[in-house]
Amino acid sequence: MHLAFDLMRGLERALADAAAAAGIEPGAFEPGVRTSDPRHGDFQANGVLAAAKRAGKPPRPIAEALVAGLGDDIRVAFEVSVAGPGFINFKARPAALLSWLQAHRSRAGLELGASAAHKGETWVVDYSSPNTAKQMHVGHLRSAVIGEAISRLLEFTGARVVRDNHIGDWGTQYGKLIWACRRHLDEAALARDPIEEFERLYKIGSSAAEADPAVMEEARAELVRLQAGDPVSLALWRRINEASLAAFQRIYDRLGIRFDETLGESFYNDKVERVYAELSADGISSMSEGAQVVFHPEHPRFKTQPMIVRKSDGAANYATTDLATILYRSEHFHADGILYVVDKRQADHFEQLFLTARKWFVRRGRPIPKLQHVDFGTVLGEDGRPLKTRTGDNIKLRELLDEASERALALVNAKSPDFPEDERRRIAETVGVGSVQYADLSQNRSSDYLFSWDKMISLEGNTAAYLLYAIARIRSIFRRHGLECGDPAAESGADAFQTPDEIALARKLVKFSDAIRLATETLCPHFLCLYLYELAGEFSAFYNADKVIVDDPAVRARRLVLCARTLLFLETGLSLLGLRTLERM
RNA sequence: GGACCUGUAGCUCAGUUGGAUAGAGCACUUGGCUUCGAACCAAGGGGUCGGGGGUUCGAGUCCCUCCAGGUCUACCA
């Protein structure tokens, strides 16, 4: 029995064929296959109702005709029935479930099946993108975590992914910072904690400039010197960047992030002239109040609210570099798509940016990449306001991860006191950081979310710890019985699933492909989280009801298939979300 | 003022883009370890899906309107 990776797609094709054979015009029938409530089956086709409506005929006879026209391969694999007003239900037979699970037994095999979705495409993912000379704080968490998960999902589904950290390493704030560096730099403090020292210096520069117009003027002069390539200014600027990137990387290491490119704003310094010139020559931009701007007359708001591409003082702003960046990504990486994993408050900016870029590219006859703002909401404290410390400062990301790790360590110490200390620490870091990542990913990214230590680290419900625990239990079964996970020998002779809990788990397993497809299509990792949580839940129920290591070799083999695949899917799924997993905890 | 987002169980959230009797977790009640890890499982109560109108075989989901909260709205990113 051959079953494709994506069972839903297979059913859609079979139904389309049956419709053609039944004389329904192509285009008049959209199969509309969805996963369904387990009470009804595994998949259902909703399309007959709409087609019948259009044709002005009763739906049930049409559904029955389609079912009668299905090929033998479908009938062998599924129980097919017509229900209600005209739904077609498909319930996978136990033998088909086993067959699918035997065909998808490795990560490489899953990837092969999934990679059809974006094969041959190049996607640039723009995420994290902090400003240099500052610590990363909670505000930087979501972009980093969501961006990494989306990058991994796209890669898994066949795309070439360019992870680009578009850092803020240029702009007016560097004038003030360098002004302060020249006067107040404390080399000892810099050696101890460079970012802290730069933050201190920036505060000095910023408040001095605010208090004294002469200082402001000097700061501006510093910026001009830097832009002119003054060696002392440039050396300071490089030091700031190096120290900042090193600090960022320490956070990224803990989150499992590694960028392919770090092309910050400064990289586009010499590329903005072309933006000014082309937009102006193409008549896309105009002059208003001394600035070069783009209006969009067809847009209800942007007909009066312009996008400023060059400030009245002649300088570039983020709109300018963002346009130059799109051009670079298009010409240099040949991007088919560019994703911006950025706070939803910047929605207006991206809408203007994309409108402008498309007009510009159309005028120049360039291929237009798909442009999407992958937005996300704010992290809120338990008072419902943006998460801050008690004193009103931003919570540093390093301290947040430290606390997560510490809280997890207290738990590991309580639950597994006999493990060696260094292992307990490693487990705590994996559980703690993973809990932060998972808490963020498991919620719909577009809405704000409430950050609660207790919920996150309580390790109950839809949390990282629950999934990691399921993995640890499966690993334990194999370890205890001296078996290697996924060893074909241990699985040979398996017969079809029989008990209710075996069948329920197997039915959940074969929907892995659907979860990957859904999460990737919508760029919403929480769909994958939800699937993994439900999978772990089905496993726990099965584990509680059916003993795996039993004497009957056929029963043991089929249960080992379930254990091995649950483990594979949980580990693959978590790694696609950017989480590390554990052997034991 | 305008535009956009949000409103689902006491609390925190899902709801596969219009499908069948709206689902989880927490909290609460009850039961389950001499048996592969109880960081677990099983069972139970809890809802006018913010209000009202509409579209259709069918609406938490789409359109209109009102209410409440949030965000953005010309040279910061």
Side-chain angles (χ1 to χ4, degrees):
Chain A
M1 192 186 309
H2 174 74
L3 293 167
F5 174 70
D6 194 335
L7 291 169
M8 258 170 63
R9 207 55 50 88
L11 288 172
E12 290 201 324
R13 265 196 299 270
L15 284 164
D17 290 348
I24 297 172
E25 278 179 51
F29 172 68
E30 201 54 57
V33 177
R34 305 281 131 87
T35 57
S36 52
D37 187 312
R39 284 178 299 225
H40 301 122
D42 292 300
F43 303 99
Q44 64 183 65
N46 299 334
V48 172
L49 287 156
K53 173 79 183 154
R54 273 196 298 274
K57 292 177 185 164
R60 279 197 74 107
I62 297 176
E64 274 151 19
L66 290 183
V67 169
L70 288 170
D72 286 344
D73 49 340
I74 297 291
R75 314 184 138 281
V76 168
F78 296 94
E79 275 175 52
V80 188
S81 59
V82 176
F87 302 114
I88 303 177
N89 288 336
F90 298 89
K91 187 170 179 181
R93 298 182 196 275
L97 294 169
L98 181 64
S99 169
W100 191 90
L101 289 174
Q102 283 172 330
H104 297 94
R105 53 183 315 113
S106 70
R107 175 163 176 148
L110 296 173
E111 197 159 357
L112 189 69
S115 64
H118 293 107
K119 188 125 233 131
E121 297 176 11
T122 296
W123 286 79
V124 175
V125 185
D126 181 326
Y127 66 110
S128 188
S129 307
N131 291 326
T132 54
K134 286 186 193 162
Q135 306 244 16
M136 291 180 77
H137 57 82
V138 267
H140 297 107
L141 177 67
R142 299 205 79 182
S143 177
V145 169
I146 294 167
E148 181 61 28
I150 285 174
S151 297
R152 292 182 182 211
L153 281 165
L154 286 171
E155 227 159 41
F156 190 76
T157 53
R160 167 190 167 230
V161 174
V162 179
R163 294 162 161 84
D164 189 5
N165 197 4
H166 193 75
I167 55 170
D169 60 354
W170 204 252
T172 50
Q173 70 271 29
Y174 288 91
K176 296 174 194 166
L177 179 56
I178 290 174
W179 179 89
C181 283
R182 284 189 191 259
R183 286 159 187 80
H184 303 283
L185 185 69
D186 176 347
E187 286 288 351
L190 187 73
R192 221 170 22 248
D193 188 338
I195 305 300
E196 207 157 284
E197 175 62 4
F198 288 132
E199 283 186 331
R200 186 184 72 89
L201 289 165
Y202 179 74
K203 276 180 202 148
I204 292 173
S206 173
S207 52
E210 214 163 293
D212 185 351
V215 174
M216 181 69 90
E217 207 38 60
E218 284 174 28
R220 249 184 227 124
E222 282 294 353
L223 189 66
V224 171
R225 263 200 293 281
L226 174 63
Q227 286 168 338
D230 174 78
V232 178
S233 303
L234 218 50
L236 270 171
W237 178 77
R238 289 210 178 98
R239 264 179 100 170
I240 295 167
N241 279 329
E242 275 167 30
S244 300
L245 287 174
F248 297 158
Q249 194 55 50
R250 282 193 290 277
I251 300 283
Y252 294 148
D253 285 344
R254 296 177 78 178
L255 294 172
I257 297 173
R258 193 157 294 276
F259 286 96
D260 303 301
E261 304 288 346
T262 302
L263 303 176
E265 284 161 5
S266 64
F267 178 78
Y268 296 95
N269 275 342
D270 61 354
K271 298 174 178 62
V272 292
E273 284 299 333
R274 193 169 160 205
V275 177
Y276 304 143
E278 291 192 3
L279 289 179
S280 170
D282 294 349
I284 291 170
S285 69
S286 57
M287 296 304 289
S288 173
E289 297 177 27
Q292 185 179 347
V293 303
V294 178
F295 286 100
H296 295 285
E298 76 285 6
H299 193 280
R301 200 139 43 89
F302 302 147
K303 64 184 175 193
T304 53
Q305 182 192 323
M307 178 176 185
I308 296 169
V309 296
R310 187 174 203 177
K311 300 193 288 182
S312 50
D313 65 2
N317 66 0
Y318 67 113
T320 331
T321 50
D322 279 354
L323 285 166
T325 303
I326 292 177
L327 182 58
Y328 182 79
R329 286 169 176 169
S330 174
E331 291 188 331
H332 188 265
F333 297 119
H334 306 290
D336 296 293
I338 306 173
L339 300 176
Y340 296 83
V341 187
V342 179
D343 192 302
K344 70 179 173 188
R345 283 174 299 191
Q346 292 189 39
D348 273 9
H349 165 63
F350 284 109
E351 198 181 346
Q352 277 181 314
L353 177 68
F354 297 163
L355 276 172
T356 305
R358 287 192 192 105
K359 285 184 186 171
W360 179 26
F361 276 36
V362 166
R363 200 67 58 88
R364 296 270 157 175
R366 298 184 183 117
I368 301 168
K370 290 176 199 127
L371 300 165
Q372 189 178 344
H373 177 204
V374 180
D375 66 347
F376 56 83
T378 311
V379 181
L380 304 176
E382 299 198 57
D383 57 356
R385 310 190 45 89
L387 190 63
K388 303 264 180 182
T389 62
R390 281 162 297 281
T391 55
D393 296 325
N394 284 320
I395 295 172
K396 292 170 182 153
L397 206 39
R398 177 170 56 81
E399 288 170 2
L400 184 125
L401 295 179
D402 286 348
E403 181 164 355
S405 189
E406 275 163 34
R407 286 181 185 243
L409 183 61
L411 217 83
V412 178
N413 287 340
K415 300 280 184 186
S416 305
D418 51 323
F419 288 8
E421 193 192 333
D422 63 328
E423 187 184 356
R424 289 202 305 270
R425 289 195 174 281
R426 266 205 320 280
I427 292 169
E429 173 75 4
T430 301
V431 173
V433 174
S435 296
V436 172
Q437 293 171 297
Y438 192 85
D440 196 319
L441 292 166
S442 57
Q443 197 147 142
N444 187 334
R445 60 178 164 74
S446 296
S447 44
D448 296 344
Y449 91 94
L450 222 69
F451 188 94
S452 158
W453 282 116
D454 291 335
K455 284 210 177 59
M456 197 170 68
I457 301 286
S458 75
L459 314 181
E460 285 165 326
N462 189 3
T463 61
Y466 180 78
L467 300 182
L468 293 171
Y469 179 65
I471 287 173
R473 287 207 294 194
I474 299 171
R475 287 263 174 220
S476 173
I477 296 170
F478 286 99
R479 195 166 47 235
R480 238 169 193 283
H481 296 91
L483 296 166
E484 198 178 322
C485 173
D487 179 6
E491 296 176 8
S492 75
D495 62 3
F497 305 117
Q498 280 179 24
T499 72
D501 294 284
E502 287 172 355
I503 290 171
L505 174 56
R507 291 171 70 191
K508 183 52 84 175
L509 281 166
V510 301
K511 281 152 196 141
F512 179 77
S513 54
D514 179 59
I516 295 290
R517 182 194 52 74
L518 188 58
T520 310
E521 257 176 20
T522 58
L523 303 174
C524 286
H526 80 279
F527 285 115
L528 179 55
C529 293
L530 184 66
Y531 170 78
L532 295 175
Y533 172 59
E534 287 172 352
L535 175 59
E538 294 291 359
F539 176 79
S540 292
F542 156 75
Y543 178 86
N544 232 265
D546 297 328
K547 193 166 164 61
V548 175
I549 305 301
V550 292
D551 292 337
D552 184 331
V555 176
R556 185 172 61 192
R558 74 181 193 234
R559 290 182 181 171
L560 282 170
V561 171
L562 291 173
C563 290
R565 288 320 169 272
T566 303
L567 180 65
L568 173 68
F569 294 4
L570 287 176
E571 287 190 331
T572 301
L574 285 174
S575 91
L576 292 176
L577 295 171
L579 275 75
R580 279 177 265 268
T581 56
L582 296 162
E583 298 272 321
R584 58 177 195 166
M585 63 191 278

